[in-house]
Amino acid sequence: MLACLALLIAATLAIPSPAVAHEEGAAKIQPTCHAFSPATTSYAELAADPSAWICNSTHWKDLQPAGWLRFEASAWRGQPLPAALVTRVTKFDKLSIFSVNRDGTVEALGLGPQDVTPRAGRSVFSAPLPKVSADTVAIVVRFERPWNAAVLSDARLSSSWEGGGWSTAMLTAFGMLAGLLLAPLIFDLAIYSVLRQRFVLWHATLVVSMIAYVISFSGLIVLYADFGVVTLAKINGFAPALAVALAGFFVADYLEPEKLSPNMRLALRIASALVVIGPGLITLHPPFLDYRSHQFYFIGFIPALAIHVLAMAQALRRGSRAVKFQIAAWAPIFLCAVERIVRGVGFYGAPSLVDELFYAALVVEVIISAMGVADRMMTLRDQRDTARTRAQVLETLADHDPLTGLLNRRAIEPRFHQLCQHGFSTYALLDLDHFKAINDLHGHAMGDEVLRAAARNLLPDEDTLVMRLGGEEFLLLLRGPDARARAEQRRQMLPIRIAEEVPGLSRLVTASMGVVEGPPEAMAASSFRTLYSRADKLLYEAKQAGRNRTIGEKLTLFDAHGKDRRGNDRRRQERRTQGSAGRSKSA
């Protein structure tokens, strides 16, 4: 279902606007030379100084405010005349284009960022040229205060006004890529609804930033929104900064607790925050920064990337399973990022194919990272289930007697009032007679067998809770109209059943019992300890009266005048009942 939804959205994004045509096969002409100068230098001054031009180097790094490009007519001889300048989207103050004719005349065209046209494909824009004819010997381009050296290194002349964009097939492919990126996003949200782990949200927001980057940097966004080059440049710059920051927060929470030191996790979070504060702020072009800050934009990524590498190296050294997925997922992206930093600073230029390799790296990252998140969630689920099982086992051990498997006092006493509210209104304390003699005569192993046999034959069920309080003492909590009779029946059955199950005993094992019963509200009005004390006294009386018998009493709630609900006197209600040899008499 997730895949179908993602494919549906992908198909929607992949349909290019019918108003936009793309001519991938248009001729592209590279500059012959480039130069740098102060902002006050005119074309005539630069043309008069041939030594200012750099024609045999790919070095594009310079702090001068004006960058120049020279395209010689020999580069397009035999091809259609150039129709547009195509180059990388970035902020600049002014663009001047000069068409130099054979007779020395120059036609100039001055443009601002608002005068150029963003294209769907490669995050480029196209700018019109002055009149170009067969007499044109060169075209010279001047960018004033560009924020990215790529606007010079990636500049080309195109024989088509639409030639800077991608073909429909390429746009369709990148639309599908952007749509398919929604699959891991939906997957993350589905996982988070089941296992609420913070790193899943970090990964989801990381995927969102990647989608934004693909839609913006590929130029798909201009098919559906009328953004200028400055706005696109901000999105193109901020999306990678946000992605690197989110990646740091993701890794800090994603890797196993024991595989990454607290200091390294803190370093990841600090470095991630600094990426947003540094490169992220620079790309928004605040007024207190100028074009020279663009180099610090790229340099600002280096500390965060270095911390990422160190963190993954530490986790790998400590045997992390999760980090192996991230290394496989991020290695291609890290290589592309390092290349883009070096190129962005201006050390060299590169063909557009290098940028397009980044998208292949992005596909690898999304697929492997999603696998890593799924694997980590499976591990966490297994750990949670194991911990839950262990806790249940410990709780069972804590609430049950290890010898007989019956509940113990710890399991019942805190819940006693709740049990009374559920109708458990008969409290029967039972003790095996002469049990010490069994241990002394037959040994403790035989005594343990007698206890286990007694536990089995006290027959706990949904209306009878049976627990061992310690030694040979058992407690029965019963509910129902015949609760006392059922308790007495169990007591009377014990001698025969124990004799059947534990052969070799020298005599029958009988039991004595003290019973306290009453309406649930009367029982709930007394504490567990109070009822135990009363039942213990009754049990003691049964022992003193000759054992193998039950003595009990009934509790009744009285009003302020000492009367029960039927008007009976308190003294009559407190009379005890006593039984002998398994029989009881009512008061």
Side-chain angles (χ1 to χ4, degrees):
M1 181 178 177
L2 297 181
C4 292
L5 179 59
L7 284 171
L8 179 62
I9 299 173
T12 303
L13 291 173
I15 300 174
S17 169
V20 181
H22 303 285
E23 300 178 28
E24 185 70 19
K28 298 180 181 61
I29 301 153
Q30 299 183 12
T32 308
C33 303
H34 61 276
F36 302 95
S37 73
T40 56
T41 301
S42 65
Y43 166 72
E45 292 172 330
L46 196 66
D49 183 10
S51 63
W53 292 95
I54 304 169
C55 301
N56 56 359
S57 173
T58 58
H59 174 72
W60 298 91
K61 181 176 179 295
D62 200 287
L63 295 179
Q64 297 280 9
W68 298 76
L69 301 171
R70 182 179 177 90
F71 298 85
E72 298 291 345
S74 58
W76 67 76
R77 190 164 291 132
Q79 301 181 37
L81 294 176
L85 170 72
V86 178
T87 189
R88 180 75 63 197
V89 165
T90 191
K91 181 185 177 183
F92 58 89
D93 285 0
K94 184 178 179 181
L95 168 61
S96 302
I97 306 177
F98 306 91
S99 177
V100 183
N101 297 318
R102 186 173 288 107
D103 61 5
T105 60
V106 177
E107 295 192 32
L109 179 64
L111 303 169
Q114 72 280 0
D115 300 318
V116 300
T117 305
R119 294 298 175 193
R122 298 197 181 96
S123 186
V124 297
F125 67 84
S126 59
L129 301 178
K131 181 181 178 181
V132 178
S133 66
D135 291 332
T136 302
V137 296
I139 293 176
V140 178
V141 176
R142 176 181 184 270
F143 280 98
E144 186 173 327
R145 297 183 177 86
W147 280 68
N148 192 334
V151 77
L152 299 173
S153 63
D154 292 3
R156 303 290 185 268
L157 295 182
S158 174
S159 59
S160 169
W161 172 246
E162 304 287 354
W166 273 328
S167 65
T168 300
M170 284 290 289
L171 286 172
T172 301
F174 275 86
M176 292 184 67
L177 171 62
L180 290 174
L181 284 174
L182 291 171
L185 174 61
I186 299 171
F187 178 68
D188 285 339
L189 296 178
I191 287 181
Y192 185 75
S193 66
V194 178
L195 294 174
R196 296 184 177 274
Q197 294 292 323
R198 188 167 54 186
F199 73 81
V200 180
L201 291 182
W202 285 126
H203 189 260
T205 52
L206 175 59
V207 172
V208 170
S209 69
M210 290 179 176
I211 294 173
Y213 180 77
V214 169
I215 293 176
S216 174
F217 202 80
S218 67
L220 285 172
I221 194 171
V222 304
L223 298 178
Y224 305 98
D226 186 19
F227 288 148
V229 292
V230 175
T231 301
L232 288 177
K234 291 178 179 179
I235 297 174
N236 289 350
F238 190 79
L242 181 61
V244 171
L246 292 172
F249 288 115
F250 165 66
V251 171
D253 289 333
Y254 168 68
L255 296 181
E256 302 92 328
E258 70 280 4
K259 306 303 181 184
L260 205 60
S261 68
N263 288 338
M264 187 61 75
R265 292 183 195 275
L266 178 62
L268 274 170
R269 295 186 175 101
I270 292 175
S272 298
L274 291 178
V275 168
V276 177
I277 296 172
L281 179 63
I282 291 172
T283 196
L284 298 179
H285 309 145
F288 55 85
L289 297 177
D290 63 18
Y291 70 98
R292 289 168 293 190
S293 304
H294 81 275
Q295 296 191 16
F296 296 103
Y297 168 80
F298 293 100
I299 294 172
F301 284 98
I302 295 176
L305 295 179
I307 294 295
H308 277 73
V309 171
L310 291 175
M312 288 191 288
Q314 183 186 89
L316 183 64
R317 191 168 57 251
R318 294 185 177 189
S320 169
R321 174 183 172 88
V323 79
K324 295 177 183 178
F325 285 94
Q326 289 314 116
I327 291 174
W330 287 358
I333 285 186
F334 268 61
L335 293 175
C336 291
V338 171
E339 183 278 332
R340 186 162 291 184
I341 289 171
V342 175
R343 177 155 50 99
V345 172
F347 284 111
Y348 78 103
S352 58
L353 177 63
V354 174
D355 285 328
E356 289 158 21
L357 288 175
F358 177 79
Y359 298 109
L362 194 62
V363 172
V364 172
E365 193 282 334
V366 169
I367 294 174
I368 299 180
S369 282
M371 293 170 58
V373 169
D375 181 80
R376 183 81 177 101
M377 293 307 297
M378 292 293 289
T379 301
L380 286 173
R381 189 187 67 178
D382 291 343
Q383 291 174 349
R384 183 199 64 180
D385 292 345
T386 301
R388 198 173 277 175
T389 301
R390 186 181 297 114
Q392 290 173 349
V393 170
L394 291 175
E395 183 177 359
T396 299
L397 291 175
D399 291 347
H400 288 74
D401 172 51
L403 177 64
T404 63
L406 295 176
L407 294 170
N408 58 23
R409 182 168 180 167
R410 179 183 181 276
I412 295 298
E413 186 169 1
R415 306 177 179 90
F416 178 68
H417 287 288
Q418 184 179 1
L419 291 171
C420 290
Q421 292 171 0
H422 283 81
F424 287 91
S425 58
T426 300
Y427 190 111
L429 188 62
L430 180 145
D431 189 272
L432 300 181
D433 296 329
H434 302 294
F435 183 74
K436 183 177 183 301
I438 297 174
N439 282 334
D440 293 342
L441 183 61
H442 300 284
H444 287 277
M446 181 75 79
D448 289 345
E449 287 300 322
V450 169
L451 291 173
R452 280 192 281 264
R456 286 191 296 271
N457 289 286
L458 287 173
L459 303 177
D461 56 38
E462 63 178 10
D463 292 324
T464 307
L465 299 179
V466 181
M467 65 213 73
R468 182 186 176 207
L469 299 184
E472 65 273 23
E473 190 173 64
F474 297 86
L475 173 65
L476 288 78
L477 289 180
L478 305 96
R479 63 183 174 185
D482 58 345
R484 174 157 177 185
R486 287 186 283 115
E488 179 63 19
Q489 184 181 25
R490 283 167 166 76
R491 185 191 71 79
Q492 293 183 20
M493 288 170 51
L494 282 181
I496 299 173
R497 295 293 177 83
I498 293 176
E500 292 175 350
E501 296 184 16
V502 187
L505 292 172
S506 59
R507 64 177 182 81
L508 291 177
V509 179
T510 61
S512 301
M513 189 163 64
V515 178
V516 179
E517 58 181 330
E521 58 270 22
M523 300 294 286
S526 299
S527 68
F528 182 92
R529 292 172 182 268
T530 300
L531 291 174
Y532 175 82
S533 177
R534 298 181 74 144
D536 188 55
K537 290 179 180 178
L538 295 172
L539 175 62
Y540 179 77
E541 291 183 21
K543 294 277 189 180
Q544 292 296 107
R547 294 182 171 83
N548 192 23
R549 67 195 60 227
T550 296
I551 296 181
E553 69 177 12
K554 290 185 177 180
L555 297 180
T556 304
L557 284 178
F558 293 91
D559 60 21
H561 303 290
K563 302 291 184 179
D564 68 3
R565 293 177 180 177
R566 297 180 180 180
N568 296 320
D569 185 81
R570 178 189 299 271
R571 289 169 296 176
R572 181 180 178 186
Q573 292 297 322
E574 288 184 344
R575 292 178 60 193
R576 296 177 177 176
T577 63
Q578 178 176 314
S580 174
R583 294 175 298 174
S584 62
K585 297 182 294 182
S586 299

